[in-house]
Amino acid sequence: MVTRRRVTIADVARHAQVSTTAVSKVLRNAYGASPAMRDRVRAAIDELGYRPHAAARAMRGRTFTIGVLLPHIRNPFFADILDGLSAQVAETDYQVIIVAGGAGLKEEVRAIEALVDRQVDGILMIAPLTSRADLDKVAETMPAVVLGRHEKSTAYDAVDDDDEYGASLVVEHLIGLGHRRIGHISQKDASRGRRAALPYSIREETYTRVMREHGLGDEIAVATTSWTEEGGYIGTRELLARSPRLTAIFAGADQAAFGALAAVHEAGLSVPGDISVAGYDNTRMAALDHIALTSVDQDGVVMGRTAGRLLLERVEGRTASVRFSVTPTLVPRRSTAAPPG
Amino acid sequence: MVTRRRVTIADVARHAQVSTTAVSKVLRNAYGASPAMRDRVRAAIDELGYRPHAAARAMRGRTFTIGVLLPHIRNPFFADILDGLSAQVAETDYQVIIVAGGAGLKEEVRAIEALVDRQVDGILMIAPLTSRADLDKVAETMPAVVLGRHEKSTAYDAVDDDDEYGASLVVEHLIGLGHRRIGHISQKDASRGRRAALPYSIREETYTRVMREHGLGDEIAVATTSWTEEGGYIGTRELLARSPRLTAIFAGADQAAFGALAAVHEAGLSVPGDISVAGYDNTRMAALDHIALTSVDQDGVVMGRTAGRLLLERVEGRTASVRFSVTPTLVPRRSTAAPPG
DNA sequence: ATGAAAGCGCTAACAT
DNA sequence: ATGTTAGCGCTTTCAT
């Protein structure tokens, strides 16, 4: 590792025979540089292969960096969001950096702080567990967008899916097929403060509400694990142990539904012959023919793109807060059908 | 967004009635601060909620940041690698940030530059497409580890899986079961320079070699798509169109194998009754009972952890270059069996 | 239109 | 052991 000195703005200035101020102006397209000077500076930049030093910029102005907080990178739905965000940001000078929050609140706080300390120009927090107050605090420091939480805030913009509607679509679908004993796989709450704000709690509460509305309050059965393959598997084994056996499972996320399918299969039961299974997120795996999982589509690409747009708007100066909500749709596939008998 | 001024080292110094040097020393555990002073400074830091400003640190010394270049975040195998890396780095003061390379070479170069410009202290590049020369150039600038490429370099450390051995395990397994008409799904080459260095080309070449060694050179059938669900699906449809029909498919990655399973199913054929399917990576989905995909385990967690360790060692000063290679193992499951008839 | 110069928050060489 | 101070590379007044 040879520590070769980087080309700096001073090198460019010297090479182009102008002041560093001039170079800075050209770089930022700022007022006060003649076309002739612009050309000379640009030429020097190209010849020397100059690239701005982000840290030095950060000391004074922008870093041209958008920070994203992700709980983890296992859920392919997050990849859709990132695709949308990247597409939106690609045409600008901004760069997206991702930090993974990890399982707990402590790791998440550390991850958010890491982004703040690195002076990102804007931060997108995806399904954060942190308290409302902490989110507001972050949003006071820098432009912020929160994706996947159902709270109002004047400090940041919000992008979400109408989880209540989406979850009701699934439960109504299953009830419409004739199911009564429908189980639900939810996620253990790791958040601080109002649990009600996060998707898993809204989906669960909606499941409960719709069941009650149809007079099925006594049939409510929730397994609280995690929205992973393992979580879905374990939760389903738990639900299958009940008697009389349920006839349908609504997993709060596709990832968990895949685990559910495995558990049902392992128990020697068939889908949808014995048990119907539905998920949420409409990931690509769900669409594959041998899986054919009924799911809810919430268009992560659009959510990500919108989050990117809102964030850039805020970076440019908007302060009024905005909410963008996606209306999900049910995508019925072969994993759900009328109950046996 | 209220732009509240951050607490700086000067604020801490004033509050603790010491010099900024003293604070800096305490922060870095540097020599020259009495226990008494340490305590006072620590107290002031806590009271004021001070956190170092990463950009300012970057101007002089370290950023305490490890940068990771990832092609994309869809492949769950990458999540294993990141888990390993995070575990290794978690106990240190370093923070991991991720940038996604995107599909093409151009995006990848931009992503790497973004990391370099942000002065990360070390960079982990996962299966980069960039030319050897460019990798060396990056490694000359900062400590670097490359994961998933089979080249020797004196500039960076390398972590890889023995893809040649892993691929041979699969092909030998299928041939051992009695298959002769075995197809392979490879990935389109987007790299610059020696294609031979990347996993997909090694797996493909190994497939070809082993087929020939068993006198099956005439049966070689490769579909070159991408290692995604879609790529596996399309590639398999292509392979299934051949006549006489092949009896086994070795997809170079689990993601592609899932698409292959869908295509086989959609064609009205059964797995493994009509067609055996094998993947590579041993992702969690592969282990699920209703998928039961034969795959190759290459322990991404260990690879990630090792990459992290090597990187930290380099940050601490090691310059001699190291290679770490994981020996993969075959994980046979129900998706492969003897051919029909 | 152009450039000189101050300063962002920190580290480290150098006094004391 | 403690503090003074000169930068790191850039942006941004403020003169000219």
Side-chain angles (χ1 to χ4, degrees):
Chain A
M1 198 192 93
V2 191
T3 312
R4 231 200 321 263
R5 204 176 59 80
R6 269 184 82 106
V7 178
T8 74
I9 208 173
D11 298 324
V12 176
R14 207 173 304 120
H15 194 261
Q17 315 232 53
V18 298
S19 70
T20 58
T21 309
V23 180
S24 177
K25 281 176 178 167
V26 173
L27 284 173
R28 292 172 294 117
N29 288 312
Y31 172 83
S34 63
M37 170 167 274
R38 296 198 115 72
D39 290 346
R40 278 174 56 198
V41 170
R42 292 239 169 74
I45 287 176
D46 287 346
E47 274 179 61
L48 269 46
Y50 167 80
R51 293 201 315 265
H53 189 305
R57 286 188 134 174
M59 296 290 291
R60 300 291 305 197
R62 303 183 175 177
T63 52
F64 292 95
T65 308
I66 298 291
V68 178
L69 169 78
L70 225 48
H72 53 78
I73 69 161
R74 289 204 189 271
N75 192 334
F77 178 62
F78 295 152
D80 289 343
I81 295 173
L82 275 182
D83 280 351
L85 175 69
S86 302
Q88 182 73 29
V89 169
E91 291 140 45
T92 69
D93 286 332
Y94 289 83
Q95 173 67 38
V96 174
I97 70 172
I98 304 162
V99 307
L105 197 54
K106 232 184 77 197
E107 294 99 310
E108 187 182 288
V109 169
R110 181 181 162 173
I112 293 175
E113 286 178 353
L115 252 12
V116 173
D117 295 345
R118 277 158 191 76
Q119 297 275 107
V120 295
D121 295 326
I123 185 168
L124 169 60
M125 293 177 275
I126 297 179
L129 305 168
T130 308
S131 71
R132 257 292 308 268
D134 282 354
L135 292 180
D136 279 338
K137 211 169 290 169
V138 172
E140 278 169 23
T141 313
M142 56 176 57
V145 174
V146 173
L147 194 152
R149 280 182 55 142
H150 296 248
E151 292 155 321
K152 290 194 200 330
S153 167
T154 55
Y156 53 79
D157 296 333
V159 173
D160 63 23
D161 154 67
D162 188 341
D163 289 291
E164 189 167 344
Y165 180 65
S168 74
L169 287 176
V170 175
V171 184
E172 297 280 5
H173 166 70
L174 292 171
I175 292 174
L177 286 170
H179 292 275
R180 296 176 54 82
R181 293 192 301 285
I182 304 167
H184 178 62
I185 294 174
S186 187
Q187 183 161 249
K188 207 172 97 222
D189 186 44
S191 78
R192 179 184 298 175
R194 289 207 317 139
R195 171 179 150 84
L198 282 153
Y200 53 80
S201 74
I202 298 190
R203 293 178 197 170
E204 176 180 336
E205 274 162 29
T206 302
Y207 154 80
T208 307
R209 177 177 58 72
V210 175
M211 289 291 278
R212 288 225 177 85
E213 282 170 11
H214 286 268
L216 301 174
D218 290 345
E219 308 290 354
I220 288 170
V222 177
T224 304
T225 57
S226 71
W227 284 354
T228 59
E229 288 94 343
E230 291 83 351
Y233 172 81
I234 294 167
T236 300
R237 285 177 56 113
E238 200 179 310
L239 291 173
L240 287 180
R242 299 173 70 101
S243 166
R245 197 166 67 211
L246 28 71
T247 63
I249 292 175
F250 165 31
D254 283 0
Q255 294 284 100
F258 299 140
L261 291 173
V264 171
H265 187 268
E266 202 181 78
L269 301 168
S270 79
V271 174
D274 298 307
I275 309 225
S276 286
V277 175
Y280 203 112
D281 288 343
N282 195 27
T283 54
R284 297 179 187 189
M285 282 291 295
L288 295 182
D289 199 68
H290 62 304
I291 308 266
L293 178 72
T294 294
S295 191
V296 175
D297 190 287
Q298 50 173 325
D299 208 333
V301 176
V302 165
M303 292 175 82
R305 185 167 48 215
T306 305
R309 183 171 54 73
L310 296 179
L311 206 43
L312 291 174
E313 283 173 13
R314 274 202 180 256
V315 171
E316 299 302 333
R318 175 167 59 71
T319 56
S321 112
V322 168
R323 164 170 298 277
F324 177 88
S325 206
V326 162
T327 301
T329 55
L330 183 76
V331 183
R333 295 201 182 90
R334 294 195 310 276
S335 71
T336 51
Chain B
M1 197 192 97
V2 191
T3 312
R4 229 200 322 262
R5 205 176 60 79
R6 268 183 83 105
V7 178
T8 73
I9 207 173
D11 298 324
V12 176
R14 206 172 306 121
H15 195 261
Q17 314 232 54
V18 298
S19 69
T20 57
T21 309
V23 180
S24 178
K25 281 175 179 168
V26 173
L27 285 172
R28 293 172 293 118
N29 288 311
Y31 172 81
S34 64
M37 171 167 274
R38 296 197 114 74
D39 289 346
R40 276 172 59 197
V41 171
R42 291 240 167 75
I45 287 176
D46 286 346
E47 273 180 59
L48 269 46
Y50 166 80
R51 293 201 315 267
H53 191 303
R57 286 188 134 176
M59 296 291 288
R60 301 293 305 194
R62 304 184 174 175
T63 52
F64 292 95
T65 309
I66 298 291
V68 178
L69 169 78
L70 225 48
H72 54 79
I73 69 160
R74 288 204 188 272
N75 191 335
F77 178 62
F78 295 152
D80 288 344
I81 295 173
L82 275 182
D83 280 350
L85 176 68
S86 302
Q88 182 73 30
V89 170
E91 292 141 44
T92 69
D93 286 331
Y94 289 84
Q95 173 67 38
V96 173
I97 70 173
I98 304 164
V99 307
L105 198 52
K106 232 184 76 198
E107 295 99 309
E108 185 181 289
V109 169
R110 180 179 162 176
I112 292 175
E113 285 179 353
L115 251 13
V116 173
D117 295 347
R118 277 159 191 74
Q119 297 275 106
V120 295
D121 295 325
I123 185 170
L124 169 60
M125 294 177 275
I126 298 179
L129 305 168
T130 309
S131 70
R132 257 292 308 270
D134 282 354
L135 292 180
D136 279 339
K137 211 168 289 168
V138 171
E140 279 169 21
T141 314
M142 57 176 56
V145 173
V146 173
L147 193 152
R149 281 181 54 141
H150 295 249
E151 293 156 322
K152 289 194 201 334
S153 167
T154 55
Y156 53 80
D157 296 334
V159 174
D160 62 23
D161 154 68
D162 188 342
D163 288 291
E164 189 168 343
Y165 180 65
S168 74
L169 287 177
V170 175
V171 184
E172 298 278 6
H173 166 70
L174 292 171
I175 292 174
L177 286 170
H179 293 275
R180 294 177 55 81
R181 294 192 301 285
I182 303 167
H184 178 62
I185 295 174
S186 187
Q187 182 160 249
K188 207 172 98 221
D189 185 43
S191 77
R192 179 185 297 173
R194 289 206 319 137
R195 172 178 149 83
L198 282 153
Y200 52 81
S201 75
I202 297 191
R203 293 177 197 171
E204 177 181 336
E205 274 161 27
T206 303
Y207 155 80
T208 306
R209 177 176 58 71
V210 175
M211 288 292 277
R212 289 223 177 86
E213 283 170 8
H214 285 268
L216 301 173
D218 291 344
E219 308 290 354
I220 288 169
V222 177
T224 305
T225 58
S226 70
W227 284 354
T228 60
E229 288 94 344
E230 292 84 348
Y233 173 81
I234 293 168
T236 300
R237 285 178 57 111
E238 199 180 310
L239 291 173
L240 289 179
R242 298 171 70 101
S243 163
R245 195 166 69 213
L246 29 71
T247 63
I249 292 175
F250 165 31
D254 283 0
Q255 293 283 101
F258 300 141
L261 291 173
V264 171
H265 187 267
E266 201 181 79
L269 300 168
S270 78
V271 174
D274 298 306
I275 310 230
S276 286
V277 175
Y280 202 111
D281 288 344
N282 195 28
T283 54
R284 297 181 188 188
M285 280 291 294
L288 296 183
D289 199 68
H290 62 305
I291 309 265
L293 177 72
T294 294
S295 191
V296 175
D297 190 287
Q298 51 175 325
D299 207 332
V301 176
V302 165
M303 292 175 84
R305 184 167 45 212
T306 305
R309 182 170 54 74
L310 296 179
L311 206 42
L312 291 175
E313 283 173 14
R314 274 202 181 257
V315 171
E316 299 302 333
R318 174 166 60 71
T319 55
S321 113
V322 167
R323 164 170 298 277
F324 177 88
S325 206
V326 161
T327 300
T329 55
L330 184 76
V331 184
R333 296 200 181 90
R334 294 195 311 276
S335 71
T336 51

